[in-house]
Amino acid sequence: MVKISKEAALEYHETGRPGKIEVRPTKAYRTQTDLSLAYSPGVAYPCLEIQENPDDAYRYTAKGNLVAVISNGTAVLGLGDIGAMSGKPVMEGKGLLFKIYGGIDVFDIEVAEKDPEKFCEAVERIAPTFGGINLEDIKAPECFYIEERLKKSLDIPVMHDDQHGTAIISAAGLKNALEVIGKDITKVKIVVNGAGAAAISCTKLYMAIGASKENIVMLDSKGVISTSRTDLNEQKKFFATNRTDIHTLEEAVRDADVFVGLSKGNVLSQDMVRSMAKDPIIFALANPVPEISYEDAMAARPDVLMSTGRTDYPNQINNVIGFPYIFRGALDVHARAINEEMKLAAVHAIADLAKQPVPDVVNDVYKVNNLTFGRQYFIPKPVDPRLITEVSAAVAKAAIDSGVARKNIENWDEYKRSLSVLLGQETKLTQKLYSTAASHPQRVVFAEAVHPTMLKAAVQAKAEGICQPILLGNDEYIGKLAASLDLNLDGIEIVNLRHPSEQERRERYARILTEKRKRDGYTLQEANDKMFERNYFGMMMVETGEADAFITGLYTKYSNTIKVVNEVIGIRPEYQHFGTMHIINSPKGTFYIADTLVNENPDTDALVDIAKLAATSVRFFNEKPVIGMMSHSNFGSSQSNGARKVRNAVERMQAEYPDLAIDGELQLGFALDRELRDEQYPFTRLFGKNVNTLVFPNLTSARSSYKMLQMLDSDVEIIGPIQMGLNKPIHFIDFGASVRDVVNIVAVAVIDAYVDKIKKRINAIGK
């Protein structure tokens, strides 16, 4: 797992706009008419409609996609009762997960009230605002009363996720784990260590899917919960056992089929695991330290089926598999509640999903080729894009069938399609980049490893399995910097290129470069001197095959880097120019912009090369290029030299590539507005097509375009610059790039290097 430091977490929450969520308008608001419709006098009309029919709030307001995440801060994560305000970062984080996984908007509400009655009164008074309420981090036993009361008094879905989220996911996991080993849930002996809100709800749901109450033993901090004890609340009394022969966990787990831990770390020993029945199932869900580690459990019993709450082991029980999709389904049918039928529907949908063939995106992310239902995979992965369609649809259908839905769904196939495009998870470019890179990690040289951002990116890229970093710089300084940043450099190679130990390599690189550039006035002494520079040395590592890719540019001038790359690496023989591209990931789609770094004022020849390179690069990202050649004019409306060079480049490209969708010269507005372009210029090769690739006439216009988008819209993700046309995978990054920006480029560089190797193998076979 990536180690999270206090400094990194605080910086994440503080940088830019503090916090993690915001509110944005969803309707036009720029004109006086817009404002009159949005507020007075136009707003009066929906108000009156809602007064006449309260359910119309779902038609005219955001109620149907708005959930309140409400807490009093009495049981925040593993921190305990830290207060309502202190728990706000967690509630904002829950809101973020609702949005990114379920497309659901959230107001986080922290209520400074511990009295259950007064807390419920506060929630009841604000409930009309919302389509659903997610209770969060409220301690037991108060959470039981609060949820039950609010479920009775409110006509919208109410769920305490700490109870039911874990219950739903673990019940699905238990159902499947028992199926894997062929045991009957009605007969297995289950031990539950922990008696808080999650443990109580989990155990009740296990009973709902068939577990026998007589076969369940529950323990709290004082031992087995039995009928002989006098210190039990109502929830614990329900699970009190009549057995008098067991008092401790060690005694309870002997011959047990299932252990479910919702307690604290390291309470289940290897000897206890050895005493369990054949093919024991262990759900060690304490976080961050489970009741027994995965390694210890497997060492004690190789036949164990294991789940934890951690991402770095198989079968993670993670609430994010459940709550976004449960609320999504409930909201979409305007449900009055989340009832037992809906919870059970979620259990079965999650369990069934694990038995279906796993999509490539999931296999890629987890760096495997064949995730299949069995001991190592009986719970779906959180990144599975099918969760939103399968779980949400199952919950929505259960709501309709059980009579708590206000709205019916007639076409379930269409509903599932709408869910699949809601978040676009299957086509998220960065997710695909990371998963592909992690499947084929390469050796990547980080030129400026003495820069904190570059060093953090290298460590993060390794932790995410994207590459094997090679750091260039003074090893002693890098070690001190890593210690100050709390970064683990284990397994990462550091090359101090100026150290005497690297003299032989510097001299060897100098000889190779001198031979390569001997007709360009190079001398051996000059080449030797250049090998003390990180860009020359690092690129020579790639040139000689001692590394696979190279990352630079964080504080190196582009002009210097371009000079070095021309000397050391060179341009592919089929081109006269190279360039760079930026990828724009936006709510309106993915766009590719070139050239954004290299060619300041390209002539027609350079524009032709840039267009060819852009088409090749877009195909590299598995998309079909539809290219608009940008200008200040449209199809000859200007006779300026700038417009003419673009026009000439288009003519040459169309003649050479008759099947390529490319046209121009075009103004940006016409390029991106298909309907306007088709109406005004129906003769173009772009007719009926959405342009996804924009080739600009000069560096200023290209850089200004993507930079403006980057500054104006936080929903726009920029990936780049991505080099096009060099002989080897040498990639640059923008000055001021973030750690994530650098890691994005590393992923591209890794894929670039892998593809380059495949091409060379194919060529070698051909010869």
Side-chain angles (χ1 to χ4, degrees), residues 394-442:
V395 170
K397 190 174 189 306
I400 294 170
D401 293 345
S402 62
V404 298
R406 295 180 176 90
K407 176 184 175 183
N408 194 26
I409 293 176
E410 301 290 345
N411 189 329
W412 288 97
D413 289 337
E414 181 58 36
Y415 174 59
K416 285 189 174 184
R417 278 195 292 271
S418 71
L419 291 173
S420 69
V421 302
L422 178 66
L423 302 180
Q425 287 179 318
E426 300 96 329
T427 58
K428 281 186 177 177
L429 181 61
T430 50
Q431 184 183 67
K432 185 61 179 176
L433 289 176
Y434 278 56
S435 62
T436 305
S439 299
H440 311 285
Q442 305 288 309

